[in-house]
C-alpha cells in the first residue's frame, strides 16, 4: 500500500534524530571527519555544533508533535532517552569480563538499534492496529540495528580510512572496547588491562589492533551480526508475503555485505 504522510514524517524525524546524535557524538569524540567530510565541530567549533544538534532535535520534536498521535510521540521520545543512556554507558567500562559483553550489547542497542526498532514500531502502529505486528516490526528493527553496529565495529578494523569516511581504529583511539576487541580478549587476556585503562598508554592502540587482527575477533563479530540478521529475517517472515517484506529481508543481507 501507499506510504501514509504520517509514516513518511516518522522516517524524516528518525533521520533528524540520527543526524543530531551524530553531530553531538562528534563533539563528544572530538572527531574531525564524518562520511569523508569535515565535522560540524571542526568547521564551526564545539559550541555551535552542540547548538546545531539541539536545533535539529527541536525541529524533529515539532514535526513529531504535528503527527498528533500520543503513542507515536511516546515511542520516538524513547529513542532520545535511549541515545543519552547509551552515551552514558559508553563512558563507563565493566571490570568483570563476563559483564563486559552484555554492557557492550546494551550500549549498542541504546545508541544504534533503539532508533531503528522504535521507528519500525512507530510506522507499524500508524499502518496497522494489531499489537503482534508492532512487536514484529520492533524486533526486526532491533535485530537489524544491532547487526548494523556490529558490522560498523568490524569495519573499524578491516576498512581503510578513505573508504570508511572516518579514521580507522577510531574506536580504540576513543578507548572503546567493541565486539572484535572483546572476542580477541578471550585469546589474548593481556588485553584486559588495556581495556580497563581505555587504551590510554603509548602503543596500546597499535598493540590492541594487532591482537584483534591476529585473533578471530573480526570473524566472531561478523558471525554474531549474521545471527542477528537471521533473527530479523525470522521475525519479518511472520508477516504475509509481499514485495515489501522481501525488500526488508534483502535489507538484512545488505547490512552484512556493506564495506563502508
Amino acid at each position: 500500500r501507499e506510504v501514509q504522510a504520517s509514516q513518511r514524517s516518522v522516517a524524516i524525524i528518525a533521520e533528524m534524530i540520527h543526524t543530531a546524535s551524530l553531530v553531538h557524538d562528534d563533539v563528544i569524540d572530538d572527531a574531525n571527519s564524518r562520511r569523508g567530510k569535515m565535522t560540524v565541530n571542526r568547521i564551526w567549533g564545539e559550541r555551535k555544533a552542540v547548538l546545531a544538534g539541539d536545533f535539529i532535535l527541536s525541529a524533529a520534536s515539532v514535526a513529531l508533535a504535528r503527527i498528533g498521535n500520543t503513542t507515536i510521540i511516546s515511542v520516538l521520545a524513547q529513542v532520545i532517552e535511549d541515545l543519552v543512556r547509551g552515551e552514558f554507558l559508553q563512558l563507563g567500562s565493566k571490570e568483570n569480563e563476563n559483564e563486559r559483553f552484555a554492557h557492550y550489547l546494551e550500549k549498542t542497542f541504546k545508541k544504534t538499534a533503539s532508533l531503528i526498532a522504535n521507528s519500525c514500531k512507530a510506522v507499524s502502529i500508524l499502518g496497522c492496529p494489531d499489537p503482534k505486528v508492532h512487536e514484529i516490526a520492533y524486533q526486526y528493527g532491533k535485530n537489524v540495528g544491532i547487526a548494523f553496529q556490529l558490522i560498523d565495529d568490524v569495519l573499524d578494523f578491516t576498512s581503510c580510512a578513505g573508504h570508511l569516511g572516518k579514521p580507522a581504529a577510531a574506536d580504540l583511539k576513543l578507548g572503546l572496547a567493541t565486539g572484535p576487541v572483546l572476542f580477541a580478549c578471550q585469546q589474548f587476556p593481556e588485553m584486559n588491562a588495556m581495556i580497563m585503562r581505555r587504551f590510554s598508554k603509548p602503543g596500546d592502540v597499535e598493540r590492541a589492533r594487532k591482537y584483534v587482527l591476529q585473533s578471530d575477533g573480526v570473524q566472531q563479530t561478523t558471525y554474531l551480526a549474521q545471527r542477528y540478521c537471521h533473527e530479523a529475517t525470522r521475525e519479518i517472515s511472520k508477516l504475509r508475503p509481499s514485495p515489501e517484506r522481501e525488500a526488508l529481508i534483502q535489507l538484512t543481507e545488505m547490512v552484512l555485505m556493506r564495506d563502508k
Side-chain angles (χ1 to χ4, degrees), residues 128-175:
C128 170
D130 187 352
K132 288 180 184 173
V133 173
H134 307 161
E135 183 61 18
I136 289 167
Y138 178 88
Q139 290 299 332
Y140 171 83
K142 174 184 172 181
N143 283 287
V144 165
I146 293 174
F148 182 91
Q149 187 58 50
L150 289 170
I151 295 298
D152 214 56
D153 295 342
V154 163
L155 292 174
D156 199 46
F157 288 94
T158 60
S159 192
C160 66
H163 207 52
L164 206 54
K166 58 184 178 181
D171 292 332
L172 285 176
K173 290 167 188 168
L174 292 170

Side-chain angles (χ1 to χ4, degrees), residues 15-36:
E15 194 59 55
M16 291 168 89
I17 293 171
H18 181 217
T19 302
S21 76
L22 296 183
V23 172
H24 283 161
D25 264 5
D26 288 340
V27 172
I28 292 167
D29 300 341
D30 196 24
N32 291 323
S33 62
R34 167 76 66 178
R35 295 174 180 167

